[in-house]
Amino acid sequence: MRIEDQRRSDNFEDRGQGRGGGGRIGGQGLMNIVRLLGVKGTLIVGGLGAVVYFLAPSSLKSTMTHALLGGGGQGEVQSGGTSACTVSEANEKACDFSRVVLASTEDVWAERFAQGELPGAGAGKYVNPTLAVFSDEVSTGGCGNASTGAGPFYCPGDGKLYLDPTFYQVMEKTLKAPGDFAQAYVIAHEVGHHVQNLIGATRQQINGETQNQTSVRIELQADCFAGVWGKAAKAALSITDEDLKEALGAAHAIGDDALGHADKTQFTHGSSAQRMRWFRRGFDGGDARNCDTFAEQDFGKL
Ligand SMILES: [Zn+2]
Protein backbone atom coordinates (compact mmCIF):
# COMPACT_ATOMS: atom_id res chain seq x y z
CA MET A 1 0.00 0.00 0.00
CA ARG A 2 1.03 3.55 -0.61
CA ILE A 3 -0.59 6.23 1.48
CA GLU A 4 1.79 9.19 1.41
CA ASP A 5 -0.09 11.25 -1.15
CA GLN A 6 -3.56 10.36 0.06
CA ARG A 7 -6.19 12.44 1.80
CA ARG A 8 -6.54 12.18 5.58
CA SER A 9 -10.09 12.16 6.91
CA ASP A 10 -11.12 14.89 9.31
CA ASN A 11 -13.93 12.76 10.69
CA PHE A 12 -11.51 11.76 13.34
CA GLU A 13 -11.42 12.27 17.08
CA ASP A 14 -8.47 11.73 19.34
CA ARG A 15 -10.14 10.95 22.63
CA GLY A 16 -6.91 10.56 24.51
CA GLN A 17 -6.18 8.27 27.36
CA GLY A 18 -9.32 7.40 29.22
CA ARG A 19 -9.63 6.36 32.83
CA GLY A 20 -12.26 5.92 35.44
CA GLY A 21 -15.30 4.84 33.52
CA GLY A 22 -15.59 1.58 35.36
CA GLY A 23 -14.73 -0.52 32.36
CA ARG A 24 -18.29 -1.52 31.70
CA ILE A 25 -19.62 -1.51 28.21
CA GLY A 26 -23.26 -1.66 27.46
CA GLY A 27 -25.06 -1.80 30.75
CA GLN A 28 -28.33 -0.02 30.63
CA GLY A 29 -30.10 0.05 27.35
CA LEU A 30 -27.91 -2.45 25.58
CA MET A 31 -29.81 -4.96 23.53
CA ASN A 32 -27.07 -7.21 22.39
CA ILE A 33 -23.43 -7.19 21.63
CA VAL A 34 -22.12 -8.70 18.47
CA ARG A 35 -18.41 -8.83 18.28
CA LEU A 36 -16.37 -9.15 15.18
CA LEU A 37 -13.97 -11.54 16.74
CA GLY A 38 -15.81 -13.93 18.93
CA VAL A 39 -15.25 -14.12 22.62
CA LYS A 40 -17.12 -16.92 24.28
CA GLY A 41 -20.19 -16.54 26.37
CA THR A 42 -20.50 -12.82 26.57
CA LEU A 43 -23.50 -12.11 24.42
CA ILE A 44 -25.66 -9.85 26.48
CA VAL A 45 -29.32 -9.67 25.72
CA GLY A 46 -31.96 -7.62 27.37
CA GLY A 47 -33.36 -4.16 27.40
CA LEU A 48 -33.42 -1.69 24.57
CA GLY A 49 -30.85 0.13 22.59
CA ALA A 50 -27.80 -0.35 20.53
CA VAL A 51 -25.96 -3.24 19.01
CA VAL A 52 -22.22 -3.03 19.22
CA TYR A 53 -19.99 -4.64 16.66
CA PHE A 54 -16.67 -5.74 17.99
CA LEU A 55 -13.39 -6.87 16.68
CA ALA A 56 -11.92 -8.36 19.81
CA PRO A 57 -9.32 -11.09 19.97
CA SER A 58 -10.02 -13.97 22.30
CA SER A 59 -6.49 -13.62 23.59
CA LEU A 60 -7.85 -10.58 25.34
CA LYS A 61 -10.68 -12.57 26.74
CA SER A 62 -10.20 -11.67 30.34
CA THR A 63 -10.04 -7.97 29.64
CA MET A 64 -13.00 -8.34 27.36
CA THR A 65 -15.04 -10.05 30.00
CA HIS A 66 -14.12 -7.27 32.32
CA ALA A 67 -15.17 -4.76 29.72
CA LEU A 68 -18.48 -6.44 29.31
CA LEU A 69 -19.32 -7.55 32.77
CA GLY A 70 -16.93 -5.79 35.07
CA GLY A 71 -18.13 -3.82 37.99
CA GLY A 72 -18.07 -0.13 38.28
CA GLY A 73 -20.64 2.41 37.34
CA GLN A 74 -21.61 4.07 34.15
CA GLY A 75 -19.51 7.11 34.83
CA GLU A 76 -17.98 9.04 31.98
CA VAL A 77 -14.46 8.08 31.09
CA GLN A 78 -12.15 10.95 31.82
CA SER A 79 -9.69 11.62 29.06
CA GLY A 80 -7.95 14.54 30.70
CA GLY A 81 -6.90 16.26 27.51
CA THR A 82 -4.32 13.66 26.57
CA SER A 83 -3.75 12.32 23.08
CA ALA A 84 -3.95 8.69 22.05
CA CYS A 85 -2.07 9.43 18.85
CA THR A 86 1.03 10.85 20.48
CA VAL A 87 1.47 8.10 23.06
CA SER A 88 4.09 6.47 20.86
CA GLU A 89 5.56 6.62 17.40
CA ALA A 90 3.63 3.49 16.52
CA ASN A 91 0.38 5.13 17.58
CA GLU A 92 1.17 8.23 15.59
CA LYS A 93 1.67 6.12 12.51
CA ALA A 94 -1.46 4.10 13.24
CA CYS A 95 -3.58 7.24 13.58
CA ASP A 96 -2.30 8.71 10.35
CA PHE A 97 -2.78 5.44 8.51
CA SER A 98 -6.31 4.98 9.88
CA ARG A 99 -7.28 8.46 8.68
CA VAL A 100 -6.16 7.58 5.17
CA VAL A 101 -8.17 4.37 5.12
CA LEU A 102 -11.18 6.14 6.57
CA ALA A 103 -10.96 8.86 3.92
CA SER A 104 -10.80 6.24 1.22
CA THR A 105 -13.90 4.48 2.58
CA GLU A 106 -15.70 7.83 2.59
CA ASP A 107 -14.97 8.31 -1.10
CA VAL A 108 -15.90 4.78 -2.08
CA TRP A 109 -19.14 4.52 -0.11
CA ALA A 110 -20.31 8.02 -1.01
CA GLU A 111 -20.05 7.01 -4.63
CA ARG A 112 -21.77 3.66 -4.14
CA PHE A 113 -24.62 5.25 -2.24
CA ALA A 114 -25.00 7.96 -4.87
CA GLN A 115 -25.17 5.26 -7.54
CA GLY A 116 -27.90 3.50 -5.61
CA GLU A 117 -25.89 0.31 -5.40
CA LEU A 118 -27.27 -0.34 -1.95
CA PRO A 119 -31.01 -0.27 -1.60
CA GLY A 120 -32.32 1.04 1.66
CA ALA A 121 -29.86 3.90 1.99
CA GLY A 122 -31.53 7.12 2.97
CA ALA A 123 -31.93 9.22 -0.18
CA GLY A 124 -28.80 7.72 -1.67
CA LYS A 125 -26.65 9.74 0.66
CA TYR A 126 -23.75 8.30 2.55
CA VAL A 127 -23.25 9.79 5.98
CA ASN A 128 -19.62 9.68 7.03
CA PRO A 129 -18.88 7.91 10.28
CA THR A 130 -16.38 9.31 12.76
CA LEU A 131 -13.34 7.36 13.86
CA ALA A 132 -12.60 7.87 17.55
CA VAL A 133 -9.21 6.68 18.74
CA PHE A 134 -8.49 6.18 22.41
CA SER A 135 -6.06 4.65 24.86
CA ASP A 136 -7.24 2.33 27.60
CA GLU A 137 -10.86 3.39 28.03
CA VAL A 138 -13.46 5.44 26.23
CA SER A 139 -17.06 6.58 26.64
CA THR A 140 -19.36 6.10 23.68
CA GLY A 141 -22.58 7.80 22.79
CA GLY A 142 -25.05 5.02 23.31
CA CYS A 143 -22.90 1.93 23.77
CA GLY A 144 -21.60 2.56 27.25
CA ASN A 145 -17.93 2.60 28.11
CA ALA A 146 -15.33 0.41 26.48
CA SER A 147 -11.78 -0.55 27.26
CA THR A 148 -8.95 -1.54 24.95
CA GLY A 149 -9.61 -5.23 25.56
CA ALA A 150 -12.90 -4.93 23.71
CA GLY A 151 -10.99 -4.44 20.48
CA PRO A 152 -12.11 -2.14 17.69
CA PHE A 153 -15.87 -1.73 17.44
CA TYR A 154 -18.65 0.25 15.84
CA CYS A 155 -21.36 1.89 17.90
CA PRO A 156 -24.56 2.45 15.92
CA GLY A 157 -25.84 4.70 18.68
CA ASP A 158 -23.46 7.47 17.75
CA GLY A 159 -22.30 6.26 14.34
CA LYS A 160 -18.68 6.07 15.42
CA LEU A 161 -15.87 3.59 15.03
CA TYR A 162 -13.70 3.10 18.09
CA LEU A 163 -10.10 2.00 17.95
CA ASP A 164 -7.19 1.86 20.32
CA PRO A 165 -4.28 2.27 17.88
CA THR A 166 -2.25 -0.30 19.80
CA PHE A 167 -4.61 -2.92 18.38
CA TYR A 168 -2.49 -2.97 15.24
CA GLN A 169 0.33 -4.32 17.37
CA VAL A 170 -2.00 -6.92 18.85
CA MET A 171 -2.77 -8.01 15.30
CA GLU A 172 0.85 -8.35 14.42
CA LYS A 173 2.14 -9.91 17.61
CA THR A 174 -0.78 -11.79 19.14
CA LEU A 175 -2.95 -12.64 16.17
CA LYS A 176 0.01 -13.08 13.82
CA ALA A 177 -1.77 -10.99 11.23
CA PRO A 178 0.75 -8.34 10.25
CA GLY A 179 0.65 -5.85 7.41
CA ASP A 180 -0.88 -2.53 6.58
CA PHE A 181 -3.67 -3.92 4.49
CA ALA A 182 -4.60 -6.24 7.35
CA GLN A 183 -4.99 -3.10 9.44
CA ALA A 184 -6.97 -1.42 6.70
CA TYR A 185 -9.32 -4.39 6.70
CA VAL A 186 -10.11 -3.72 10.36
CA ILE A 187 -11.19 -0.15 9.63
CA ALA A 188 -13.03 -1.20 6.47
CA HIS A 189 -14.88 -3.93 8.37
CA GLU A 190 -16.08 -1.50 11.02
CA VAL A 191 -17.07 0.94 8.28
CA GLY A 192 -18.97 -2.01 6.82
CA HIS A 193 -21.06 -2.08 9.99
CA HIS A 194 -21.71 1.61 9.54
CA VAL A 195 -22.93 0.95 6.00
CA GLN A 196 -25.18 -1.78 7.38
CA ASN A 197 -26.52 0.64 9.93
CA LEU A 198 -27.35 3.17 7.22
CA ILE A 199 -29.14 0.68 5.01
CA GLY A 200 -30.90 -1.13 7.84
CA ALA A 201 -29.22 -4.45 7.10
CA THR A 202 -28.66 -5.22 10.76
CA ARG A 203 -32.38 -5.32 11.42
CA GLN A 204 -32.83 -8.44 9.33
CA GLN A 205 -33.31 -11.86 10.79
CA ILE A 206 -34.21 -15.09 9.08
CA ASN A 207 -37.11 -16.99 10.60
CA GLY A 208 -36.03 -19.69 12.97
CA GLU A 209 -32.41 -18.70 13.13
CA THR A 210 -30.59 -18.06 16.34
CA GLN A 211 -29.12 -14.74 17.32
CA ASN A 212 -25.66 -16.20 16.76
CA GLN A 213 -26.57 -17.12 13.21
CA THR A 214 -27.87 -13.65 12.54
CA SER A 215 -24.65 -12.30 13.97
CA VAL A 216 -22.60 -14.46 11.60
CA ARG A 217 -24.58 -13.15 8.63
CA ILE A 218 -24.01 -9.57 9.76
CA GLU A 219 -20.29 -10.06 10.32
CA LEU A 220 -19.70 -11.84 7.03
CA GLN A 221 -21.51 -9.05 5.23
CA ALA A 222 -19.25 -6.50 6.90
CA ASP A 223 -16.26 -8.55 5.71
CA CYS A 224 -17.65 -8.54 2.20
CA PHE A 225 -18.20 -4.78 2.33
CA ALA A 226 -14.59 -4.43 3.46
CA GLY A 227 -13.58 -6.36 0.36
CA VAL A 228 -15.71 -4.16 -1.88
CA TRP A 229 -13.92 -1.15 -0.47
CA GLY A 230 -10.54 -2.84 -1.00
CA LYS A 231 -11.15 -3.42 -4.66
CA ALA A 232 -12.38 0.12 -5.21
CA ALA A 233 -9.33 1.54 -3.43
CA LYS A 234 -6.89 -0.73 -5.21
CA ALA A 235 -5.48 1.75 -7.66
CA ALA A 236 -5.42 4.82 -5.41
CA LEU A 237 -3.73 2.99 -2.53
CA SER A 238 -1.55 0.73 -4.68
CA ILE A 239 -2.96 -2.42 -3.15
CA THR A 240 -0.96 -5.44 -4.25
CA ASP A 241 -1.48 -9.20 -4.20
CA GLU A 242 0.76 -9.25 -1.15
CA ASP A 243 -1.58 -6.79 0.54
CA LEU A 244 -4.55 -8.98 -0.29
CA LYS A 245 -2.80 -11.89 1.41
CA GLU A 246 -2.40 -9.76 4.52
CA ALA A 247 -6.11 -9.03 4.70
CA LEU A 248 -6.99 -12.66 4.10
CA GLY A 249 -4.49 -13.61 6.79
CA ALA A 250 -6.28 -11.29 9.19
CA ALA A 251 -9.69 -12.62 8.18
CA HIS A 252 -8.36 -16.12 8.83
CA ALA A 253 -6.83 -15.17 12.17
CA ILE A 254 -10.10 -13.82 13.53
CA GLY A 255 -12.36 -16.63 12.40
CA ASP A 256 -14.29 -18.13 15.29
CA ASP A 257 -12.63 -21.51 14.81
CA ALA A 258 -9.15 -19.98 14.65
CA LEU A 259 -9.94 -18.29 17.93
CA GLY A 260 -10.64 -21.63 19.53
CA HIS A 261 -14.39 -22.07 19.32
CA ALA A 262 -15.13 -25.75 18.76
CA ASP A 263 -18.92 -25.52 18.90
CA LYS A 264 -20.25 -24.06 15.66
CA THR A 265 -23.50 -23.00 17.29
CA GLN A 266 -21.43 -20.61 19.35
CA PHE A 267 -19.98 -18.91 16.27
CA THR A 268 -20.88 -15.26 16.11
CA HIS A 269 -18.59 -14.10 13.31
CA GLY A 270 -18.04 -17.06 11.06
CA SER A 271 -15.20 -19.50 10.51
CA SER A 272 -11.86 -18.50 9.08
CA ALA A 273 -12.87 -20.00 5.75
CA GLN A 274 -16.12 -18.06 5.70
CA ARG A 275 -14.51 -14.79 6.62
CA MET A 276 -11.88 -15.16 3.95
CA ARG A 277 -14.48 -16.22 1.40
CA TRP A 278 -16.78 -13.26 2.01
CA PHE A 279 -13.95 -10.77 2.04
CA ARG A 280 -12.78 -12.21 -1.28
CA ARG A 281 -16.27 -12.13 -2.66
CA GLY A 282 -16.35 -8.40 -2.04
CA PHE A 283 -12.81 -7.86 -3.23
CA ASP A 284 -13.09 -9.94 -6.38
CA GLY A 285 -16.50 -8.76 -7.53
CA GLY A 286 -16.37 -5.24 -6.16
CA ASP A 287 -20.15 -5.13 -6.04
CA ALA A 288 -21.86 -4.55 -2.70
CA ARG A 289 -24.98 -6.24 -4.00
CA ASN A 290 -23.07 -9.52 -3.91
CA CYS A 291 -22.67 -9.10 -0.16
CA ASP A 292 -26.22 -9.96 0.77
CA THR A 293 -25.58 -12.68 3.31
CA PHE A 294 -29.29 -12.79 4.08
CA ALA A 295 -30.16 -13.86 0.55
CA GLU A 296 -28.88 -17.41 1.13
CA GLN A 297 -31.62 -19.04 3.15
CA ASP A 298 -29.53 -22.09 3.97
CA PHE A 299 -27.19 -21.02 6.75
CA GLY A 300 -24.95 -23.99 6.09
CA LYS A 301 -24.14 -22.67 2.65
CA LEU A 302 -22.83 -19.29 3.73
ZN1 LIG B 1 -17.94 -6.82 12.96
Side-chain angles (χ1 to χ4, degrees), residues 105 108-109 112-113 117-118 185 188-197 199 201 218-232 278-283 286-293:
T105 63
V108 169
W109 289 113
R112 299 306 172 95
F113 272 57
E117 184 170 320
L118 288 157
Y185 156 63
H189 173 96
E190 299 304 336
V191 169
H193 284 312
H194 177 65
V195 170
Q196 291 175 318
N197 190 27
I199 64 174
I218 288 169
E219 296 299 337
L220 294 178
Q221 186 177 55
D223 283 340
C224 186
F225 283 164
V228 168
W229 163 77
K231 172 159 183 166
W278 282 91
F279 179 86
R280 266 227 91 127
R281 184 159 163 159
F283 191 88
D287 187 337
R289 286 167 296 201
N290 290 339
C291 296
D292 188 359
T293 50

Side-chain angles (χ1 to χ4, degrees), residues 3 8 12 14 83-100 131 133 135 163-166 168-169 183:
I3 64 159
R8 270 69 180 158
F12 181 83
D14 185 340
S83 163
C85 292
T86 58
V87 164
S88 65
E89 212 170 294
N91 271 22
E92 211 163 313
K93 211 178 138 205
C95 285
D96 183 56
F97 175 79
S98 301
R99 287 179 63 192
V100 170
L131 172 61
V133 295
S135 288
L163 169 77
D164 183 325
T166 57
Y168 292 157
Q169 291 163 57
Q183 297 165 3

Side-chain angles (χ1 to χ4, degrees), residues 170-226:
V170 172
M171 288 180 71
E172 185 175 337
K173 300 193 173 99
T174 312
L175 297 170
K176 311 287 178 213
D180 51 6
F181 197 55
Q183 297 165 3
Y185 156 63
V186 172
I187 302 283
H189 173 96
E190 299 304 336
V191 169
H193 284 312
H194 177 65
V195 170
Q196 291 175 318
N197 190 27
L198 293 180
I199 64 174
T202 52
R203 293 192 289 276
Q204 300 179 73
Q205 183 161 16
I206 289 178
N207 253 347
E209 284 196 354
T210 66
Q211 203 152 8
N212 280 353
Q213 289 174 313
T214 302
S215 172
V216 168
R217 289 183 187 274
I218 288 169
E219 296 299 337
L220 294 178
Q221 186 177 55
D223 283 340
C224 186
F225 283 164

Side-chain angles (χ1 to χ4, degrees), residues 34-36 53-55 189-190 193 219 222 269 275:
V34 187
R35 295 161 306 277
L36 176 88
Y53 303 96
F54 277 106
L55 177 79
H189 173 96
E190 299 304 336
H193 284 312
E219 296 299 337
H269 296 76
R275 302 202 69 161

